[in-house]
Amino acid sequence: MTGDGPRVPIEIAPEVADALRARRAVVALETAVLTHGLPRTPMAAPGGIAGWDAALPANLALSTLLESTVRAAGAVPATVAMVDGTLRVGVAPPALARLAHDTAARKLSARDLGPAAAQRASGGTTVAGTLVAAALAGIRVFATGGIGGVHRGWTERPDVSADLSAMARAPVAVVSAGAKSILDLPATVEALDALGIPVVGLGTDRFPRFVSPGDDSLGVSAVAADAREAARICVAHWRFMPSTGVLVANPPPEAQAIPAAEMESVVADAIANAARQGIRGAAITPFLLAAVQRATGGRATAANVAVLAANARAGAEIACALHS
Ligand code: PSU
Ligand code: MN
């Protein structure tokens, strides 16, 4: 059973492998947002964002947009997903399209990779799942929308996303608009501190709240003026803590950002609904995000897409700076 064979069922796409060998900039991208985030039906460009293919299922249009955003900024995208039991770092377009349509696709956190591989299953990787792949492949930068963290009500039920522990174990810069607004953000910021993960504000000293800007109530542990400085901070961090990640906190683009007070009331309703319906565990994040999307009439979707694209661009800039 433990035979020789390949030790880890991971497959790095030729373009990504070439770039890593040549020490060119690579940015990892997640796919939980593809399998468990945006709808599988086509939609008009959210917020009128450029480069959106309105003929594709919205979830596939998003992954395609993020890959081209990374390329346009001079880096190679490495979209991560599990396809029929193989963890792919760089997913070919036909496989990505199949995953986008697959209603049985699993949501794969770090601990779900082994079972999915053994069972030859397919799924989208969360931040935690994507970090496992990035670390195995030697990718130093990963762009996402907002990381998972400490859920509200954690004193009753300690639901803490494995995104946090995965960041504590992977030497990867995670570019994110802070953490998801559905979370207990002060508790999430404290957990990042406890785990030894620096929070580097990109042009800000406030911790962004995903689709909402930060305010004076929550800060970062370091401020970087631009991508070059963020890259220098990462390199210095990895000299002291070579196996720990960095959270690069990039505020949401102003034009699409949703005021925090408005998000608060929408999130409170969504959490009350989730509690009534007994939603918990891995299902809670997709449930809350979908409820917020509906309640804001698509404005949260436009903001989410804008955040993802901005982070893909910033991630590519940081990856380029790491290699210059
Ligand atoms: N974006 C979505 N839906 C999701 C996620 C992102 O639209 O479900 C994923 C992210 O990949 C993040 C994860 O890492 O949710 C956090 O979920 P949990 O709290 O179960 O760890
Ligand atoms: Mn959880």
Side-chain angles (χ1 to χ4, degrees):
M1 284 294 282
T2 53
D4 297 331
R7 282 217 175 66
V8 182
I10 183 169
E11 187 73 39
I12 303 177
E15 186 196 13
V16 176
D18 286 350
L20 289 169
R21 246 192 315 270
R23 304 202 168 279
R24 288 200 307 274
V26 175
V27 178
L29 297 166
E30 64 146 301
T31 45
V33 67
L34 172 93
T35 56
H36 291 76
L38 262 68
R40 293 188 185 84
T41 45
M43 74 169 59
I49 195 161
W52 181 269
D53 187 341
L56 292 178
N59 58 350
L60 186 57
L62 171 72
S63 284
T64 307
L65 172 71
L66 297 182
E67 290 192 347
S68 53
T69 303
V70 168
R71 282 186 206 287
V76 171
T79 299
V80 172
M82 179 80 74
V83 182
D84 301 327
T86 299
L87 185 58
R88 297 209 166 264
V89 180
V91 184
L96 199 62
R98 193 151 58 83
L99 197 63
H101 287 100
D102 184 359
T103 50
R106 300 184 186 182
K107 175 182 162 183
L108 302 173
S109 184
R111 70 169 183 175
D112 306 313
L113 297 174
Q119 296 167 349
R120 306 260 188 276
S122 295
T125 49
T126 66
V127 168
T130 307
L131 280 172
V132 170
L136 285 170
I139 297 172
R140 292 298 194 146
V141 182
F142 163 31
T144 183
I147 61 163
V150 181
H151 284 263
R152 300 183 193 198
W154 56 271
T155 49
E156 288 293 310
R157 186 183 192 91
D159 183 350
V160 177
S161 175
D163 290 0
L164 296 179
S165 51
M167 287 179 69
R169 285 192 301 258
V172 176
V174 180
V175 184
S176 163
K180 293 198 162 78
S181 21
I182 56 172
L183 299 167
D184 181 333
L185 291 178
T188 299
V189 165
E190 294 300 345
L192 287 162
D193 182 3
L195 291 166
I197 301 164
V199 179
V200 180
L202 195 57
T204 185
D205 60 358
R206 296 162 163 194
F207 189 79
R209 292 168 286 189
F210 190 34
V211 296
S212 304
D215 67 13
D216 286 339
S217 65
L218 221 48
V220 298
S221 68
V223 177
D226 54 23
R228 298 190 71 84
E229 191 175 14
R232 279 204 307 278
I233 289 173
C234 289
V235 169
H237 169 72
W238 289 325
R239 292 212 178 97
F240 295 111
M241 299 175 74
S243 58
T244 308
V246 176
L247 177 62
V248 177
N250 189 26
E254 267 170 48
Q256 271 82 29
I258 300 182
E262 181 184 349
M263 276 302 286
E264 265 317 296
S265 77
V266 171
V267 167
D269 286 351
I271 288 176
N273 270 327
R276 267 195 297 277
Q277 295 179 45
I279 312 280
R280 60 176 89 91
I284 189 86
T285 297
F287 177 94
L288 294 176
L289 292 174
V292 167
Q293 285 178 16
R294 279 192 305 274
T296 56
R299 282 170 54 238
T301 308
N304 192 355
V305 170
V307 159
L308 283 155
N311 294 345
R313 190 173 317 114
E317 287 168 6
I318 293 168
C320 289
L322 278 176
H323 293 278
S324 64

